[in-house]
Amino acid sequence: MTDYSFDREKDEMKKELYYDGNIITMSGQEKADAVLVENGKILAVGRKDAMNLNGEVQRISLEGHTMLPGFIDSHSHFTGCANSFLQCSVQNAGSVRELQETIQDYIQKRKPAPGEWVMARDFAPEQLKEKQMPDRWMLDQASPNHPLVLQHKSGHVGAFNSLGLKELNINGFTPDPPGGRIEKKDGEATGYLEENAFIHALRRLPMPSVKALVQACGQAQELYASFGITTLQEGMMSKEMLPMYRELLKKRALWLDVTGYADISQADQIYGVLPDCDGTYACRFKLGGYKIFLDGSPQSRTAWVRQPYEGGAETGTSTMTDQQVEEAVSLSFQTGRQLLAHCNGDRAAQQYLEACERATGRGRGLRRPVMIHGQLLGRDQIPRLKPLGMIPSFFAAHVFHWGDVHIQNLGLERAGRISPLKSALEAGLLFTLHQDSPVIPPDMLETVWCASVRKTRGGILLGAEERIPVYEALKAVTCNGAYQYFEENRKGTIAPGKLADFVILDGNPLETEPEALREIQVLETIKEGKSVYRKEV
């Protein structure tokens, strides 16, 4: 693992001048070709020939490339990304048989100890020719001697083999928990679990060793940095993560900024252990508030929707009662801590909006509440967000990755309204964009492309009226992200006094045809004036 850790108090740097390139400041000052940096902060931005270059200055040519503020990840799961380096990916399996062989090959190479769990990830039924979720008996063939879990890419559903069900004491008599489902057939559990049933089961699995996780966190940071990200998120912290975070902070092993949001049901335990620095970072970590989730995912037909899915009567899964949501909003209001709510379906969005409106008298006093995903946020619901100061953080890359599935589940017209970016923009809403990593890689430029082009993997133009200009998409991953984190005075634009967090690209996204946006490459990522990623040539 590359050691990128650094301490500004011990690592003083000379002045640096970045010049001879396109500087997109995202602050309205677009006619700039140079940035002057000292000790990790921006001193000046503008024309190189107008810079006051007193003293020794290290000159760094951008060689005609494009510099932007470092990208800001507005929602992902850092530990999940780290864990993914310790798990078996089945994303390339095209059939049940290939999936079984992939897991078998992984077990043969890794040689897990007897009884050790095997974790498989990156699964989606539509990738298999059988178009189905494997059951326990299929998974038994893949892993007959080790408990196994196969996790859907959404993270909301999955399946266990027979040994896994036995370890968790799940059988045909196990009742469904509130907001979850354990599939049964002829009185037997099939291995398939949804929502709360699956999430609660995952939390009972043994965590990897702290040493392995800390090392994987280094790999995860390298992944984020390779996509130009300098600030990222731990999207739902559980108490099981505490030993890892204690070690990360002790070893000063974070070199990108991480903001964590506590699972609200465990908030007292988390806030009582990790440093609560009133919105500032300690060893590059800070607690940002609370996280709740109100439904599932539209590709799994578990997002809670107002109208049934195509070809059926189901309307998805509600995971919290109205009272529980109102209590969460009230806690956020009382403590002055930000609240993030996972809402994919429009019915879940309605529940969150109503709770915010009721609990605080039309939302006065809430600290920038965030609606995570907002896939099916209704155009009729959008005007209700602004009076609450609510920020929708859209998972716009759904259009490409699952747009074809959404058409099957929702119909073409309804699917075309997912991630209503243009409608939000016209309503005057500030919004952000994210990838929910490890659901998909934290590829910001792909997301900018999705927001501007809106084409599915199958090439269908999905919701052309919801496309937005490239500049607005870039705002959503820079200055708007900084605002979501209450860091608009420190990050998000290239301006004097702000942190020298930059990404350098091989092309100018404002001068590139939208169709070609995702072909632009990240050449370098700079965190507070220090290079933390360079593309190998």
Side-chain angles (χ1 to χ4, degrees):
M1 182 180 68
T2 305
D3 180 13
Y4 291 116
S5 60
F6 60 99
D7 184 336
R8 280 283 157 209
E9 293 181 358
K10 299 178 182 178
D11 189 18
E12 293 296 311
M13 299 174 66
K14 298 176 183 179
K15 289 182 182 178
E16 301 162 316
L17 178 71
Y18 296 88
Y19 70 98
D20 190 22
N22 304 300
I23 313 292
I24 303 177
T25 67
M26 302 308 298
S27 65
Q29 182 190 357
E30 302 308 327
K31 299 296 183 181
D33 64 2
V35 180
L36 185 62
V37 171
E38 184 177 34
N39 294 333
K41 287 191 175 182
I42 300 168
L43 288 183
V45 183
R47 309 300 293 184
K48 181 179 66 172
D49 53 11
M51 291 282 182
N52 184 5
L53 302 178
N54 293 328
E56 186 177 351
V57 178
Q58 180 183 2
R59 297 170 184 265
I60 304 171
S61 174
L62 296 174
E63 300 178 347
H65 296 131
T66 298
M67 173 185 279
L68 285 91
F71 293 143
I72 295 177
D73 158 47
S74 58
H75 179 65
S76 70
H77 302 272
F78 177 50
T79 298
C81 284
N83 257 318
S84 70
F85 289 98
L86 306 174
Q87 298 171 352
C88 172
S89 175
V90 297
Q91 64 181 357
N92 295 323
S95 67
V96 170
R97 185 61 199 148
E98 288 181 8
L99 182 146
Q100 292 168 332
E101 290 172 348
T102 300
I103 295 171
Q104 289 167 349
D105 289 345
Y106 173 85
I107 293 172
Q108 186 175 6
K109 291 175 182 175
R110 278 287 305 271
K111 294 181 170 50
E116 183 178 341
W117 276 86
V118 174
M119 313 281 286
R121 61 181 175 87
D122 297 333
F123 174 73
E126 61 270 14
Q127 77 191 39
L128 303 183
K129 69 178 183 181
E130 293 89 351
K131 308 296 181 187
Q132 68 178 99
M133 189 81 184
D135 57 31
R136 64 188 255 198
W137 298 281
M138 295 176 185
L139 296 180
D140 286 347
Q141 295 180 53
S143 178
N145 301 314
H146 296 274
L148 166 70
V149 58
L150 174 65
Q151 188 167 346
H152 190 280
K153 289 190 75 169
S154 68
H156 286 259
V157 302
F160 295 86
N161 69 350
S162 296
L163 282 176
L165 292 176
K166 183 178 180 181
E167 285 281 323
L168 297 168
N169 197 27
I170 295 173
N171 54 51
F173 301 99
T174 306
D176 293 343
R181 183 171 77 93
I182 300 171
E183 184 179 76
K184 303 176 180 70
K185 183 178 180 181
D186 299 328
E188 291 191 79
T190 67
Y192 174 73
L193 278 68
E194 284 182 355
E195 301 305 333
N196 279 343
F198 183 64
I199 292 168
H200 293 164
L202 282 182
R203 287 190 176 178
R204 294 167 57 194
L205 270 57
M207 292 282 286
S209 71
V210 170
K211 180 179 178 181
L213 274 174
V214 168
Q215 182 172 354
C217 282
Q219 294 173 281
Q221 288 178 91
E222 290 173 356
L223 175 68
Y224 281 95
S226 74
F227 289 110
I229 293 169
T230 52
T231 298
L232 58 100
Q233 185 178 113
E234 184 69 82
M236 193 166 187
M237 294 194 68
S238 66
K239 62 183 180 182
E240 290 80 10
M241 298 177 187
L242 291 175
M244 181 196 78
Y245 269 95
R246 287 196 199 97
E247 192 69 8
L248 285 172
L249 300 184
K250 176 183 175 182
K251 290 182 175 294
R252 302 181 69 86
L254 293 175
W255 37 272
L256 300 178
D257 288 342
V258 180
T259 300
Y261 289 85
D263 176 346
I264 203 161
S265 68
Q266 301 178 353
D268 288 345
Q269 299 167 73
I270 293 167
Y271 267 89
V273 173
L274 294 179
D276 182 9
C277 302
D278 194 27
T280 62
Y281 290 91
C283 301
R284 302 210 167 277
F285 175 82
K286 72 174 182 178
L287 285 166
Y290 309 120
K291 170 71 181 298
I292 58 177
F293 77 97
L294 308 187
D295 70 341
S297 58
Q299 66 269 40
S300 300
R301 297 170 74 103
T302 55
W304 191 20
V305 293
R306 292 182 288 186
Q307 299 296 322
Y309 289 94
E310 291 285 297
E314 74 269 31
T315 56
T317 303
S318 167
T319 57
M320 293 179 70
T321 66
D322 290 347
Q323 181 178 344
Q324 288 172 328
V325 178
E326 287 189 26
E327 289 172 353
V329 173
S330 295
L331 181 62
S332 169
F333 178 71
Q334 292 161 10
T335 60
R337 293 170 180 160
Q338 191 178 35
L339 179 64
L340 276 57
H342 166 116
C343 304
N344 261 317
D346 49 7
R347 183 62 186 86
Q350 178 181 321
Q351 185 185 40
Y352 189 36
L353 289 167
E354 289 175 348
C356 289
E357 291 166 349
R358 285 195 298 265
T360 62
R362 308 303 297 179
R364 289 187 295 274
L366 285 175
R367 283 179 58 80
R368 301 180 188 176
V370 182
M371 180 181 291
I372 297 294
H373 305 327
Q375 285 299 296
L376 295 164
L377 177 66
R379 291 170 182 167
D380 61 311
Q381 296 172 319
I382 287 174
R384 297 170 65 179
L385 275 70
K386 194 167 186 179
L388 297 167
M390 186 177 289
I391 302 167
S393 185
F394 293 111
F395 193 168
H398 255 255
V399 173
F400 173 71
H401 288 274
W402 293 285
D404 299 306
V405 177
H406 295 332
I407 293 170
Q408 296 174 20
N409 288 341
L410 302 165
L412 181 60
E413 180 181 0
R414 196 171 162 200
R417 298 198 295 270
I418 66 169
S419 294
L421 306 183
K422 186 66 175 297
S423 296
L425 185 64
E426 291 176 344
L429 286 178
L430 181 147
F431 58 84
T432 60
L433 298 172
H434 66 265
Q435 295 82 31
D436 202 16
S437 302
V439 174
I440 61 172
D443 188 340
M444 288 295 188
L445 290 170
E446 181 188 70
T447 288
V448 170
W449 170 79
C450 288
S452 304
V453 175
R454 290 186 69 100
K455 281 191 177 179
T456 72
R457 195 183 293 273
I460 298 172
L461 180 59
L462 190 60
E465 67 278 9
E466 292 294 352
R467 292 178 292 188
I468 59 172
V470 173
Y471 187 79
E472 295 296 336
L474 289 173
K475 284 177 63 177
V477 299
T478 54
C479 54
N480 290 4
Y483 181 87
Q484 180 181 307
Y485 285 123
F486 299 89
E487 295 190 69
E488 63 268 29
N489 294 324
R490 301 178 70 241
K491 300 175 180 176
T493 63
I494 299 177
K498 292 194 175 183
L499 297 180
D501 291 357
F502 308 130
V503 58
I504 300 173
L505 309 177
D506 70 353
N508 186 337
L510 299 181
E511 297 177 358
T512 301
E513 287 296 321
E515 287 280 1
L517 282 169
R518 63 177 178 163
E519 297 173 12
I520 295 175
Q521 298 291 307
V522 172
L523 298 179
E524 187 171 8
T525 303
I526 296 163
K527 176 64 182 155
E528 295 179 36
K530 181 163 182 143
S531 179
V532 293
Y533 166 78
R534 280 194 191 92
K535 183 176 175 59
E536 294 183 4
V537 179

